[in-house]
Amino acid sequence: MKKVIEGSMAVAEAVKVCRPHVISAYPITPQTHIVENLSQFVADGELKAEFLNVESEFGAASVVLGASATGARAYSATTAQGLLLMVEVLFNIAGLRLPVVITCTNRAVSAPINIWNDQQDAMTIRDSGWIMLFAEDNQEAADMHLQAFKIGEHPEIMLPVMVNMDGFILTHAFEPIEFIDQKMADEFLPPFKPELYLTPKNPLTFGVLAEPDWYMETRYRLQKAIEASTDMIEEVADQFKKTFGRYQGGLVEKYRLDGAETVIVSMGSVVGTIKEVVDALRDKGKKIGVLKIRTFRPFPKEAIYDALKNVKNVIVMEKAISLGATGILYDEIKAALYGKPSQPKVSGFIAGLGGRDIPKESIMKVIEKGEAGISDNVFVDLKENLIGGK
Amino acid sequence: MTIEKKEKEEILESQLAPGHKACTGCGLALAARTVMNTAGKDVIVTAATGCLEVFSTSYPQSAWKMPWIHSLFENSAAVAAGIEVALKALGREKEAKIIAQGGDGATADIGIGCLSGMFERGHNILYVCYDNEAYMNTGVQRSGLTPFEAWTSTSPSGKVSWGNPTEKKNMPAIAAAHGIPYVATASVAYLKDLEKKVKKALDIVGPKYLQIHAPCPLGWAHEPWDTIKVAKLAVQTGLIPLYEMENGVITSVRKIAKKAPVEEYLKLQGRFKHLFKKPGFEKELERIQAMADATIKKFNLM
Ligand code: SF4
């Protein structure tokens, strides 16, 4: 059944059919509609879950940590400053190997304060041990949540998953959404039954002190688990397709890559606009395609190399920057190609920070520039008149 | 000294197993052992970062005989809240009582937000604050519960300083202001009293707050064998009042039979030694004595 609903509602509906036991959240724009909808489901008895309003995002993350360690399926949502406030707990959730799922409705971080979309927030937790997925549209965002729980809760993975969707652009957009049937969801996502959890029946110590002779091995195993999730992400996407009839997952999406000489690499909702530009250019006979990064952690180096190895120009467009260095995705794409037999030319563009529009014309200009030579750290559509001085 | 067979058995049965790495004479270890032995096996326990976590969970060993989790310094209360609602959601709420623990820094400073949230939401959790009056684990820095004029490494005495310039934050009052059903203070000098309070707290539904005064030989610079003596003097001077508050009303206080002068308490501890050295110290001692007397009056301890 298809219905035109808001992105946040689509996510709330998807989370509902995942049957979480515990939901905890603190309000922050543009995440609020998701948890408002979920709290309404709980209030109406449509979802049997404990919904906890807490004193901060830090508290929200801590609550879902405790709940997950007790064997409950736990969910929260956040964005930007809220995500930053959670960071310490997020590292702990991963270190404790707890398959919590959090939606991050991507938003710029302050200062200056700005509530609109970019992906700088999510980039701050890229090293925390979370699996990170990025949605292009609302259907994908909704569907990713079912997959997120399934991937994270797999006994060999046991890792938290963050589903990223662009704030406002997706969260507040109305699109036709295929609703997920509860029966099919139950079939796809069985109840969470962790092997180890807090119970007096089997008293265990969680979150120990590990001295130098033990700590490194725990990080190694974390690294191995997140690497292992690379295959699991694809497997779960295949299973999702079998159950629901649509492929909505995996590591990357290759769009019109056949014989492409130029490929634009990006993540999130802007990929939709890029695809339109590419379609128009393909119609004119230009050999161009798009590589959408759906899974940012684990970083799918091999899938990326495989997609880009026969390409002349790679153009990375992203909504975040590691200040003092370069665009983060740009950096990582280059690293994925380095030392390999084939070395396409890679250019990096920073676009759409703090909700700045990315019109098709700007994407055209980026393509021209990227094809002309290697461009590094180019801020797209910068207003020179506002910069002043140096 | 030989350990009697019965005593040995008792120690081995303790819920906080022997062989952990606490310093000799650690008041906190004694307090935690008493809390856990009183609570029994059917509990789930959370802990904040601090001495307690560090000395008892050094992988691959653990001194805890019950399910136990440490997450961070400031979220013991929130993790416990997550556990409580999870048990409820999973229909397992009869399985265990929940105890959240933290030191004074974790409780009164960095973790006070999460703790306040836990109180406000009415979780059925006993929160235990082990109050050794400073950040011991990181090398004795000042916390919100460090007493007036105590030396710590970040509130040192010096040419122009008498040590910590502020008084102990009144955590029990802050807890009580949340309208929670039970708030109590206890001391390792009075273990029966502590046991009674733990038992009582665990029988009450809702959030409970228990603050246990627990000397730290390392941070207070007293002799390890003086832990109980020091703890007792803290109570007998009136500096550490032992009382219970039920629904915001004081329902019991531990009376002081014979008031000890604060000097007696202070001089046993290296952290107050500067109070006896510099010219003008008598005035400072008078100030501390006045604080003790005011507490005695306020709680009607004599
Ligand atoms: S430093 Fe103090 S509180 Fe910590 S273990 Fe030693 S005596 Fe106990």
Side-chain angles (χ1 to χ4, degrees):
Chain A
M1 182 189 50
K2 258 193 180 172
K3 256 201 217 167
V4 176
I5 55 167
E6 197 199 36
S8 297
M9 184 59 155
V11 168
E13 287 281 352
V15 171
K16 184 176 86 174
V17 296
C18 293
R19 299 189 192 274
H21 301 104
V22 175
I23 300 166
S24 183
Y26 188 78
I28 181 164
T29 302
Q31 161 271 114
T32 43
H33 290 185
I34 297 175
V35 291
E36 280 167 10
N37 283 317
L38 283 165
S39 67
Q40 190 67 52
F41 295 151
V42 174
D44 290 339
E46 274 180 55
L47 170 63
K48 275 191 74 185
E50 291 289 327
F51 187 98
L52 229 61
N53 286 299
V54 287
E55 71 289 340
S56 71
E57 286 91 350
F58 181 87
S62 303
V63 164
V64 291
L65 180 150
S68 184
T70 313
R73 184 170 285 161
Y75 171 82
S76 188
T78 190
T79 180
Q81 307 310 123
L83 183 78
L84 299 196
L85 190 53
M86 282 184 176
V87 168
E88 195 192 3
V89 191
L90 299 182
F91 274 76
N92 238 32
I93 290 174
L96 286 164
R97 306 289 298 270
L98 301 171
V100 167
V101 170
I102 286 184
T103 311
C104 181
T105 61
N106 302 120
R107 180 189 128 179
V109 297
S110 55
I113 191 163
N114 171 300
I115 60 164
W116 294 273
N117 165 248
D118 67 35
Q119 292 163 351
Q120 192 69 54
D121 53 359
M123 291 301 131
T124 58
I125 69 134
R126 69 183 173 146
D127 305 330
S128 64
W130 280 61
I131 292 170
M132 295 174 70
L133 311 173
F134 282 81
E136 179 188 334
D137 57 33
N138 287 336
Q139 185 72 60
E140 195 175 21
D143 294 350
M144 268 180 182
H145 284 81
L146 276 90
Q147 299 183 46
F149 280 112
K150 197 173 172 86
I151 297 161
E153 289 172 6
H154 191 281
E156 275 160 42
I157 308 294
M158 289 297 283
L159 283 176
V161 185
M162 178 160 292
V163 178
N164 290 277
M165 65 192 293
D166 285 331
F168 292 111
I169 299 173
L170 295 184
T171 54
H172 289 56
F174 283 73
E175 284 177 33
I177 296 292
E178 188 76 53
F179 268 56
I180 300 163
D181 176 63
Q182 183 69 63
K183 254 206 209 124
M184 279 155 80
D186 289 343
E187 192 187 304
F188 176 75
L189 182 66
F192 176 40
K193 290 233 167 71
E195 266 174 66
L196 307 174
Y197 55 94
L198 292 165
T199 172
K201 288 177 191 143
N202 179 25
L204 297 167
T205 299
F206 283 56
V208 295
L209 169 82
E211 288 175 37
D213 45 350
W214 294 100
Y215 180 81
M216 221 164 127
E217 286 67 25
T218 67
R219 300 318 277 184
Y220 175 80
R221 294 200 53 184
L222 196 53
Q223 168 71 1
K224 286 292 142 191
I226 195 160
E227 277 173 13
S229 75
T230 311
D231 291 343
M232 194 62 62
I233 289 165
E234 300 220 89
E235 217 179 292
V236 168
D238 289 338
Q239 288 170 16
F240 189 88
K241 179 151 195 249
K242 252 184 227 142
T243 314
F244 298 98
R246 46 184 188 272
Y247 189 82
Q248 287 281 45
L251 303 170
V252 296
E253 183 191 327
K254 299 180 203 169
Y255 186 79
R256 307 199 77 163
L257 283 197
D258 289 345
E261 286 175 359
T262 296
V263 169
I264 311 179
V265 183
S266 197
M267 307 195 290
S269 62
V270 71
V271 171
T273 323
I274 298 172
K275 280 176 179 171
E276 279 184 33
V277 173
V278 163
D279 283 344
L281 292 173
R282 274 276 179 182
D283 287 348
K284 288 189 193 144
K286 193 169 169 59
K287 291 176 181 159
I288 187 162
V290 187
L291 183 70
K292 174 169 100 183
I293 308 296
R294 201 185 249 134
T295 303
F296 178 67
R297 282 293 179 276
F299 196 65
K301 285 184 285 191
E302 264 140 54
I304 288 168
Y305 177 68
D306 194 58
L308 298 179
K309 63 180 179 221
N310 298 322
V311 168
K312 264 196 352 222
N313 304 299
V314 174
I315 296 166
V316 182
M317 236 180 87
E318 63 191 304
K319 293 182 179 180
I321 179 168
S322 171
L323 293 168
T326 59
I328 296 155
L329 185 61
Y330 170 55
D331 223 13
E332 298 197 353
I333 294 286
K334 280 192 294 183
L337 301 173
Y338 185 79
K340 294 278 165 59
S342 151
Q343 301 262 335
K345 196 156 86 10
V346 188
S347 290
F349 296 86
I350 314 292
L353 298 187
R356 175 75 48 92
D357 217 18
I358 307 178
K360 288 182 195 168
E361 302 77 60
S362 303
I363 297 170
M364 298 287 278
K365 271 189 239 153
V366 162
I367 295 168
E368 271 169 40
K369 223 174 187 162
E371 285 181 335
I374 293 181
S375 295
D376 211 30
N377 269 354
V378 179
F379 278 60
V380 179
D381 289 341
L382 212 53
K383 292 183 183 165
E384 301 292 343
N385 60 325
L386 293 184
I387 301 169
K390 280 189 193 169
Chain B
M1 195 171 46
T2 56
I3 299 174
E4 295 297 329
K5 194 167 164 254
K6 194 172 157 274
E7 207 178 320
K8 223 190 223 163
E9 271 169 15
E10 258 174 35
I11 291 172
L12 289 175
E13 261 178 25
S14 170
Q15 293 301 297
L16 183 66
H20 55 65
K21 300 178 177 172
C23 313
T24 316
C26 174
L28 155 62
L30 176 57
R33 196 179 79 197
T34 307
V35 170
M36 293 308 141
N37 286 349
T38 310
K41 281 194 169 58
D42 290 336
V43 290
I44 297 178
V45 182
T46 72
T49 310
C51 275
L52 182 60
E53 162 260 335
V54 168
F55 73 59
S56 66
T57 72
S58 185
Y59 189 78
Q61 279 139 2
S62 170
W64 301 90
K65 292 198 188 161
M66 70 292 290
W68 183 97
I69 184 169
H70 158 256
S71 165
L72 291 165
F73 198 7
E74 63 276 47
N75 67 0
S76 183
V79 171
I83 294 168
E84 192 233 25
V85 291
L87 288 180
K88 227 184 266 172
L90 296 164
R92 286 167 43 200
E93 61 267 63
K94 295 230 165 64
E95 202 173 81
K97 297 196 166 170
I98 302 163
I99 300 176
Q101 317 173 90
D104 46 286
T107 304
D109 297 338
I110 195 169
I112 198 168
C114 284
L115 181 60
S116 172
M118 183 205 112
F119 288 155
E120 174 209 333
R121 293 187 303 268
H123 293 283
N124 188 19
I125 295 167
L126 167 61
Y127 187 95
V128 180
C129 168
Y130 300 106
D131 178 19
N132 58 20
E133 307 193 319
Y135 291 89
M136 297 313 177
N137 186 44
T138 40
V140 199
Q141 293 85 16
R142 181 206 167 274
S143 88
L145 296 192
T146 299
F148 181 60
E149 297 199 334
W151 177 96
T152 72
S153 60
T154 53
S155 65
S157 62
K159 284 196 186 109
V160 295
S161 161
W162 289 99
N164 183 41
T166 56
E167 289 180 35
K168 262 173 105 76
K169 192 189 280 189
N170 194 344
M171 260 321 283
I174 293 168
H178 287 79
I180 64 173
Y182 187 73
V183 172
T185 57
S187 159
V188 290
Y190 302 96
L191 291 179
K192 285 280 167 253
D193 177 70
L194 170 59
E195 280 173 14
K196 204 181 76 197
K197 285 168 177 166
V198 171
K199 251 191 222 135
K200 185 164 172 182
L202 285 173
D203 278 341
I204 295 170
V205 178
K208 286 84 60 175
Y209 179 76
L210 176 60
Q211 184 168 308
I212 310 171
H213 198 237
C216 161
L218 187 103
W220 297 14
H222 62 72
E223 298 298 348
W225 47 84
D226 277 344
T227 293
I228 300 300
K229 190 172 169 188
V230 168
K232 207 171 255 175
L233 278 169
V235 176
Q236 284 169 350
T237 51
L239 284 169
I240 297 294
L242 301 187
Y243 58 93
E244 289 176 290
M245 282 173 99
E246 288 169 67
N247 300 309
V249 182
I250 294 187
T251 50
S252 86
V253 293
R254 185 173 188 97
K255 295 276 183 187
I256 297 171
K258 187 170 163 278
K259 186 172 102 173
V262 294
E263 231 179 294
E264 213 180 301
Y265 171 61
L266 302 173
K267 72 179 183 227
L268 279 178
Q269 306 169 55
R271 63 175 174 160
F272 292 114
K273 120 178 134 212
H274 56 281
L275 287 179
F276 299 92
K277 280 196 177 148
K278 275 198 295 183
F281 72 92
E282 296 92 341
K283 226 178 110 219
E284 299 309 310
L285 287 178
E286 271 167 32
R287 286 174 75 177
I288 297 174
Q289 186 61 58
M291 284 162 57
D293 292 343
T295 307
I296 289 173
K297 203 166 154 215
K298 179 176 164 195
F299 288 94
N300 198 14
L301 297 178
M302 288 195 76

